[in-house]
Amino acid sequence: MKISNKLYIGLLGLSIFATSCDDDSMGEDPNATNTVQIEFDNRFGSTDLVLGTTKATNASGEEYTLSTLNYFVSNVSLMSDMGEMISFPDQYFLVKESDTGSQFIDLPEVPSGNYSHLTFTVGVDSLKSISDVSARTGVLDVASYGDDNMYWSWNMGYIFFKIEGNSSVIDVQGSDKFEFHIGGFGGRDAATPNNLEQIDLHLDGVSVSASNSPQVHVIFDVSKVMDGTNTISLAETPAIHNPMIGKSVSANYMSAFAVDHVH
């Protein structure tokens, strides 16, 4: 069969274009690294959280709003499909609902590959908690919090997780405010309550390459802080500052994190 010159040139061009596309897709450097970003999106169920405005009702039928939501994230790791752990040691982050920028965490120089698990700790590990003050910089600088303190000077430890808010069911000396401050790393010289909680989240479709820098969208459902393994009544428990009592809260927020989607 005779093919015209114009048709032949057209087919040749398509062939070259297809080959070029294949070369582009297969030409990624397998040793390249890229950044993985984790976004922490705080919500009440499916409702976006707005401090001082969004109303929620717990399992005890108590309506409340939040004025403060802070938590430390540390010991972040990614596990590849091959079972290799990529860790980010000595990196600590303080997620604050009042600071949008703090809700985005960058994990730099992640090797190319597919990743199936994201793990992190809510809190500040015992080794860092008892290290010299000079080694505790950035979000661990105890002098950096101002009025929104995240450190117990009386207990020599960080407040891992803090929520504060208001509810009409509370009346403590004329105040309707509640405070849950959760800490306790297990003690230095003697055993004490340990409220460090490790979160393990399954990832689906997280692929890193020279040209792909994924963002993992993590939801934190604040409603589960009061209604999880343990049901917490604000009328009965308007304040928690004791690490022993705080265990009921930390056990709840273990299941409050979930991966929503990946960009």
Side-chain angles (χ1 to χ4, degrees), residues 41-63:
D41 184 1
N42 304 311
R43 299 182 184 178
F44 281 125
S46 60
T47 303
D48 189 35
L49 168 62
V50 179
L51 293 176
T53 300
T54 309
K55 294 182 179 180
T57 303
N58 62 20
S60 299
E62 301 167 332
E63 188 176 78

Side-chain angles (χ1 to χ4, degrees), residues 51-52 88 103 129 152 154 175 248:
L51 293 176
F88 302 85
Q103 297 161 27
S129 292
W152 282 324
W154 57 270
S175 174
S248 61

Side-chain angles (χ1 to χ4, degrees), residues 76-87:
V76 183
S77 295
L78 292 168
M79 187 176 76
S80 73
D81 286 349
M82 305 301 292
E84 182 182 4
M85 294 296 295
I86 307 299
S87 301

Side-chain angles (χ1 to χ4, degrees), residues 229-247:
T229 302
N230 306 295
T231 299
I232 298 173
S233 165
L234 291 170
E236 296 175 2
T237 312
I240 298 177
H241 298 276
N242 185 320
M244 181 67 74
I245 302 174
K247 192 64 182 177

